[in-house]
Amino acid sequence: MKITHIEEPIAFRKLLAGDGNVFVAIGKPALFDDEQDYYCPYCIEYQETKKFSYAGGADSVQALQLAMKKIAVDLADLSKKRRVEISWFSDMPGETGFEP
């Protein structure tokens, strides 16, 4: 499954990243085509790059929880690759509010 946009965004977070910002959008969990399991789409945007992904779960709550964990991992990877510290608040360096 490939995610190319967030149809129904339910949450947003703006993070600080060096002299710019990182934007996270989380979409409303939805049923997979098999109509048994759920997925929760998300997008991480930094500068001109957007990364779309999702996490799957047995129900919508688990899909949302796992999406937030994946976001934490993706933010850590982005921070490492771009050599930029990503923070939710300026007085909490490196803390994004997403826990792996």
Side-chain angles (χ1 to χ4, degrees):
M1 180 168 159
K2 183 173 171 108
I3 303 292
T4 58
H5 67 284
I6 304 294
E7 244 176 76
E8 292 185 65
I10 60 168
F12 298 94
R13 178 165 288 169
K14 177 181 166 184
L15 301 162
L16 308 171
D19 61 353
N21 294 304
V22 175
F23 299 95
V24 177
I26 302 172
K28 179 180 176 183
L31 281 167
F32 277 112
D33 289 340
D34 68 8
E35 296 189 6
Q36 291 179 353
D37 297 316
Y38 284 76
Y39 69 95
C40 182
Y42 65 89
C43 177
I44 298 173
E45 182 177 354
Y46 177 62
Q47 294 176 339
E48 303 298 319
T49 305
K50 288 185 180 183
K51 176 182 180 169
F52 290 94
S53 192
Y54 69 93
D59 62 16
S60 60
V61 172
Q62 185 182 41
L64 178 58
Q65 289 172 321
L66 293 176
M68 292 181 70
K69 289 179 182 289
K70 281 188 68 181
I71 290 168
V73 172
D74 287 347
L75 289 172
D77 186 55
L78 175 65
S79 177
K80 184 177 179 182
K81 284 181 179 175
R82 297 290 184 104
R83 296 185 178 128
V84 62
E85 186 171 74
I86 300 173
S87 303
W88 188 7
F89 297 108
S90 60
D91 62 343
M92 298 171 61
E95 178 59 48
T96 65
F98 293 97
E99 300 299 323

